[in-house]
Amino acid sequence: MPAIDSIPDDRTPAVARHGAIHCCQSGLGESSLRLSGALAGPLCEAITNASTAVPELASVELLVLTGERTATLVVHGSQTAEHNTGWLADGAGEAGSGRTAGGDELAALLQRRLPDWYGIERGTLVLDLIGIAAAPTSRLVYTDEPPSGSALESLFREIVARNHKHNIPTVGQLLVQRESTDRFRVTARVADIGRAERPLGRHGLAASLDASPSCPIDRTTPDGITSSRRLADDYWERNVPHSSRFPGLMTSPGTTNALAALMSLGFRDSTHEYAALLQGRPAADPYEPFPVDPTLALSTAELEAILDVTPHYETCRWPAKPTRFAPRFIRETVRTQAAGTDHEELLRGPHPAMTELGVQTGGSLRAFTGGWLEETGYHAETLDERSRGDPHFRGHPNDDADDGPVVLVDPNGESSDQVVGTAGELIMAANRALREGSHLLVVTPSRETAQWARDVLEVPYASRRTRDVQQVYSIPAFVYTGDGDIVVTERESQPLYWTVSDGQRSLYVGDRCLASGPVTAPLSSYTFETPRLTKRGDSMIVLNDDRSVRERRPSLAACATDYRAVRRPVLPIQPLFCTDVTVAYRAGSSLVEPIRSQRWDDGRTLESRRRHYKRALETFLETYTVGVSAQSSRTAPRFFERFLTWYDGRITWPVPTRDRLSRALPNWVHARTDTREPVVLENRSWWLPVADLPLAIAHGRSSDASAHHDRSATE
């Protein structure tokens, strides 16, 4: 679905079916009036007759909807291959009742063919309430010969009944398009509105391979018929040690169609099929690379078999705290009243908030993310009061405890948006998530921004000044001396930057070092060869580095004309962030994390595979380790573990064994075996070995209780 930046008004539905026909089964309130016979024949006759009598009727849609008590049936005719008549419809000129076709004829035929006890009414079906963020949605596809009428008979009835037995609110959809006198093309889908198990990103998709999705179509159908959500099982598998925390998503041996493999993941997370269900379109093009048929080609008799969709009397309870709600129906004409049934018991009438619930309104990243989390079934905690590096929400699909941090990142965003706008603050958020043992979800507004955020987390330093010296990121916050003075430099001086090397953190202006100290010590303990500012009365005093008075200024703002504050450096508490991090971007109404597949060689021969591993190891070593002398005790603990998390995040090949990696280490790396680790690097260490560093020190503060830690630096 497209992104929603603004809505036309608070009354117009985004996803709707104007001119729809609601077929109300009898006996909902009075069981003696319930019907037990199959009504597929009358339904089929009404639809086939209407498609013959109304030339402009291009498609007929049947929606089996879970109301507040049980399922009911809505029929809609369209003059195009799509049925959405709300303002989110593709092709704005066809929105509203202009897209509807054959409504009067369909209503009359349904009234004539269905039993007299049935109620027939026309109006507008409002689907906004079921949400536009993707819900688990299965499309019926078949792999062998087209299914027979007997295989399709009662198929949808069984699916809905099974879901209701487990209290799963459901939307079933059949799209019927006539091809010739006795041939029809049918698209069949089922969305589990009451489930919160749509996988998100690489971690979620990999986890879904271990616990295959409980697709109602695949669970119910005979051999040869399966669900679109199960196609990924043919292309992907998970292969990691039980104790590992990285996803381990890899293509299955023998997979040759890379395009189909990647596209199958899009069906796994339901993004494509749920959007197609809301728009009411066949949307079969993405299935071309697959050895399946996504559309049923049926005779009239076979069509009748699959149309056994009403009546339904199975009850279904919505979740106690629903994040998606039953559709609403704006009644315009009640042609006949159902016997023993209050029509409102099947589909409630309009509600003042029905065009707001389930629609992610507002153009801000915060409003979108909050709406997406809620629709996806996570009652995330919104954190309105936050400091730098704090999450914006807590609770998302990829955190085992369901309270993992969610941060919103946009380096091009406005300060009023309250998003993370600097690499330094993003590293602060990653540090806090790691220290909590939580999975971090990073949400960005675009694919390009997501790539920037991923680059920052995977290489959490700004640049490499020399072979063993890294420039680290900083945040626009003041650095204070032990006396509480603000550290500044003259504005005309060269660029300022912080570096780390050999356990030391240093401040430079150009090539001149202004301060240096151990990375484990607070910045307030450093000696700065710079001016500093202090407040005395109503004035700001500029001091020299020996604290003698240089000059007096009336305010902090007045100092900014000639001085600039030193920005506070931020250190990561591990060499890189790959494990327990998902970086996603907003794509329309969904969140997407691209699946990367990088190769350093073509991988077609055993020799090229060895070169691939060797080059991957060299890249990792050059990026995250530095050389140490033979006398140094520093090493790179958990080297292979961290390499494999890094490697797994950018590849879809099988993860190599540690023995194979040991043989692929370059000659310039000296390694030995150890009882605690398979391989210890003797002449390399991590670029910043500070895993136990307190967050206050890593984030450049004197302590967690620093009174100054949220004040911004003078630019």
Side-chain angles (χ1 to χ4, degrees), residues 369-491:
T369 305
W372 185 90
L373 288 169
E374 184 174 357
E375 289 180 31
T376 309
Y378 289 85
H379 297 273
E381 177 189 1
T382 302
L383 304 177
D384 294 321
E385 298 295 329
R386 55 179 299 274
S387 300
R388 278 196 181 93
D390 286 346
H392 296 83
F393 302 93
R394 281 198 175 276
H396 62 81
N398 286 352
D399 188 72
D400 292 338
D402 291 336
D403 64 351
V406 181
V407 295
L408 313 178
V409 176
D410 184 3
N412 302 314
E414 301 290 336
S415 58
S416 59
D417 294 340
Q418 297 184 335
V419 297
V420 173
T422 64
E425 187 178 357
L426 177 56
I427 292 172
M428 291 173 68
N431 280 344
R432 287 176 178 163
L434 178 67
R435 192 57 53 84
E436 294 171 1
S438 299
H439 189 109
L440 176 66
L441 172 59
V442 177
V443 179
T444 68
S446 66
R447 188 184 187 104
E448 294 74 22
T449 308
Q451 185 59 55
W452 174 84
R454 184 181 293 280
D455 290 344
V456 168
L457 293 174
E458 289 189 349
V459 186
Y461 57 84
S463 64
R464 179 161 283 189
R465 307 290 297 193
T466 65
R467 180 181 294 273
D468 298 329
V469 178
Q470 286 77 23
Q471 178 179 331
V472 296
Y473 289 111
S474 61
I475 57 174
F478 292 140
V479 173
Y480 293 90
T481 67
D483 296 314
D485 303 333
I486 301 172
V487 181
V488 297
T489 63
E490 291 86 353
R491 188 165 283 280

Side-chain angles (χ1 to χ4, degrees), residues 671-687:
R672 60 178 170 81
T673 59
D674 188 89
T675 56
R676 290 170 296 177
E677 292 197 48
V679 169
V680 175
L681 307 186
E682 294 184 317
N683 61 337
R684 308 293 295 181
S685 74
W686 295 120
W687 72 273

